[in-house]
Amino acid sequence: MKKKWVKALGVILAGVMAMGSLTACGGGDDKEASGDSAKSEVKIAIICDSAGQNDNGYNQSAVNGAKKAAEELGVEYKVVEPTNGVPQALESLAEDGYNVIFNLEYDFEALIQGTGGAQPIAEMYPDITFVCVNDNPNKDENGEVLHDNVISALFDVHQASYVAGALSVLVNENAETLFGTENYNFTPADNGGRALGFVGGTNSNGITVFSYGFIEGANHVAEELGVNYDYYAKYDAGFADSATGSTVAGTYYNQGANVIFSVAGSVGDGVAAKAKEEGKLMIHVDANKDAQQSGSILTSVLKNTEVPVYEITKAAVEGTIDEMDRVQNYTLASGATSITDMAEISKYIQEGGQEKWEEIKAYLADLESQIGDGTITVTNAQNGEEFDASACGNITIK
C-alpha cells in the first residue's frame, strides 16, 4: 500500500503539473477554482473514454460537472484522455495526489481485481476515492463490496430506455400519420417494417442496460397492439468511428428497421447521418442531441454525468464522501436521466398527426408514472439483474 506521503508529494507536484499535461495519461489540463469560491484542497480527475472530452455528451457532461465544482466548490480538476491505458492513468493520477478519480472508460479490472498478478489499484491507494461510472464492478460473487474506496455511479437509464422503446413502436406503427411520406422513407410496418436496431459501443453492463430496457419497452407496446418485432443489435461498435455507425445503420435500415437506438458515443453521429440520408429515425444518447440531424433524431436518452461528478465532489469537499453508499443510483427524479421533451422532432409532425402525437406523449407520461411507482419494473443490468428474453415474446432478437 502507498503511504500517506504520496498525497503530500502530489501537492508539491501540482505546481509542476500545471505547466503541462500528464504525459503518462495522454493529456488534459489542471484547472483551479475561479470566481469568488474559496480554494479547496480537494483535487479531482476525469478519465475520459475513447470518444474524448469534446463528445457533446457523456464525457463533456462530466467535464462540465468538474468545471462547476471548480467554480462553486473551489476544487482543482484535471481531464485526461489516456493514451497508455486506463490503469496507467489511474496510477499516475493517484501518485499525483488526486483525491477523487472518475473513470468514464469501461475498463475496471486493474482497479478492482488487479491484472498480471499485480495488486488491485484500489488497494494500492486506500486514501483515494475511485468512481466507476456506468457499472458496478466493485463486488464479489455474493454481491459484497470489495473496496471501500470505490464508488459506482449508476444511472437508471434502463427506465428511460424502456420509455424510448415504447415510443419507437408507437411511432413506427403510426409513422405515416405522424410524418407523412414526403420527407421520410419508412418501410411500412405491415410490410417488413416491424424491426428495431441497436448499436452499442461495447458488450458491457453499461451498454446492455440500455438495450434490455429498450427491448422491454418495445415489447410492452408490441404486446398491447398484438404485433411482433425483429431486433437487430451490435454491441462492439466502439465509441469513436462515425463511419462504423453509418455502415451498421445502413444494414439495419435495409433490413426494415425504421428506428435505431445508438449508445456508442460519436458512432451515433454516423447513425444520425445515415438516418437523415435514408429518411428514417434514430435515438441518440447522453446529451440532448435532437437538433444534430433535425427531423431524423426521434429523441435522446439522457445520461447527465455532470450530476454525479458534482455531487460526489461536493461530498468530498464537505468531508462526507466516506458516508455515501458505495453504489449511487441516479434516477429519473434526479434529473440525471430521462428522454428529451422531443421539441425538435415535434416540428416535423404533420397537421393531421398532431392529435396522435399528443396521444403518444400522454401514453409515455403515464408509462413513466407506472415506472416511478413500481407498477412497471425494468431489468437493470448495471445492478447485476439478468435479462429474460423469453419474457419479451413479441420481440425476436436476431
Side-chain angles (χ1 to χ4, degrees):
M1 293 185 180
K2 301 292 180 183
K3 298 182 180 179
K4 293 183 182 291
W5 57 263
V6 170
K7 286 188 175 180
L9 178 60
V11 173
I12 295 171
L13 291 175
V16 177
M17 288 172 59
M19 299 171 61
S21 65
L22 183 59
T23 55
C25 301
D29 296 320
D30 296 298
K31 302 292 184 183
E32 295 185 3
S34 60
D36 297 328
S37 57
K39 180 127 174 20
S40 168
E41 294 183 358
V42 172
K43 296 169 58 180
I44 68 171
I46 308 290
I47 298 177
C48 298
D49 72 11
S50 58
Q53 61 183 298
N54 297 315
D55 65 345
N56 191 33
Y58 175 65
N59 294 281
Q60 190 170 332
S61 293
V63 174
N64 289 340
K67 290 178 180 178
K68 180 180 178 181
E71 293 170 358
E72 297 184 7
L73 305 174
V75 305
E76 179 182 330
Y77 74 92
K78 185 177 185 70
V79 179
V80 175
E81 296 176 345
T83 57
N84 295 320
V86 170
Q88 177 68 46
L90 289 169
E91 288 198 54
S92 296
L93 290 165
E95 288 285 354
D96 289 331
Y98 284 83
N99 310 95
V100 185
I101 303 173
F102 295 86
N103 180 16
L104 276 67
E105 182 62 277
Y106 296 95
D107 185 348
F108 308 114
E109 186 177 1
L111 175 68
I112 305 300
Q113 305 293 341
T115 57
Q119 187 180 13
I121 294 172
E123 287 186 3
M124 294 167 59
Y125 302 95
D127 297 325
I128 293 170
T129 299
F130 299 92
V131 183
C132 299
V133 182
N134 270 345
D135 205 350
N136 180 20
N138 188 38
K139 58 184 179 181
D140 62 20
E141 58 186 12
N142 297 316
E144 298 297 322
V145 171
L146 288 170
H147 305 289
D148 289 335
N149 60 327
V150 175
I151 293 175
S152 295
L154 306 179
F155 301 82
D156 286 348
V157 292
H158 56 300
Q159 297 177 346
S161 297
Y162 187 101
V163 176
L167 169 66
S168 298
V169 173
L170 288 168
V171 166
N172 196 58
E173 294 295 321
N174 297 281
E176 187 171 344
T177 299
L178 295 169
F179 299 103
T181 58
E182 183 177 349
N183 298 312
Y184 293 88
N185 185 32
F186 299 121
T187 302
D190 58 358
N191 190 28
R194 288 195 172 104
L196 299 170
F198 181 88
V199 181
T202 183
N203 192 3
S204 66
N205 291 342
I207 297 297
T208 58
V209 65
F210 288 91
S211 182
Y212 297 160
F214 189 62
I215 293 171
E216 290 174 346
N219 184 77
H220 179 94
V221 176
E223 186 175 35
E224 282 189 352
L225 299 178
V227 295
N228 296 292
Y229 272 69
D230 290 332
Y231 188 78
Y232 300 98
K234 180 177 178 63
Y235 294 106
D236 60 354
F239 297 94
D241 185 9
S242 61
T244 296
S246 179
T247 299
V248 175
T251 299
Y252 292 167
Y253 288 137
N254 287 337
Q255 290 172 317
N258 289 319
V259 184
I260 297 174
F261 184 15
S262 179
V263 186
S266 298
V267 171
D269 298 342
V271 177
K274 180 59 72 171
K276 174 68 77 174
E277 178 186 328
E278 296 288 338
K280 307 276 189 172
L281 295 170
M282 66 88 67
I283 295 172
H284 229 314
V285 75
D286 295 338
N288 186 340
K289 302 178 183 179
D290 294 7
Q292 185 185 82
Q293 294 286 353
S294 185
S296 297
I297 300 177
L298 180 58
T299 188
S300 301
V301 172
L302 304 177
K303 181 173 57 181
N304 186 2
T305 48
E306 176 180 330
V307 175
V309 169
Y310 181 81
E311 292 299 328
I312 292 173
T313 300
K314 185 171 185 284
V317 171
E318 295 175 346
T320 59
I321 194 167
D322 291 337
E323 300 170 16
M324 299 182 77
D325 290 339
R326 297 300 88 178
V327 177
Q328 292 290 309
N329 287 292
Y330 294 88
T331 66
L332 292 170
S334 74
T337 184
S338 62
I339 65 170
T340 64
D341 61 7
M342 299 184 290
E344 191 67 27
I345 195 67
S346 292
K347 299 173 184 177
Y348 296 84
I349 303 297
Q350 62 181 1
E351 186 175 347
Q354 291 294 335
E355 183 177 351
K356 175 57 68 173
W357 184 235
E358 292 304 317
E359 180 184 314
I360 288 173
K361 290 194 291 183
Y363 180 95
L364 297 179
D366 181 63
L367 207 60
E368 290 180 352
S369 295
Q370 292 183 62
I371 293 171
D373 66 20
T375 301
I376 294 175
T377 58
V378 187
T379 298
N380 187 354
Q382 290 182 120
N383 282 347
E385 296 176 8
E386 293 188 9
F387 173 66
D388 181 8
S390 66
C392 296
N394 293 70
I395 305 291
T396 301
I397 300 174
K398 297 293 189 177

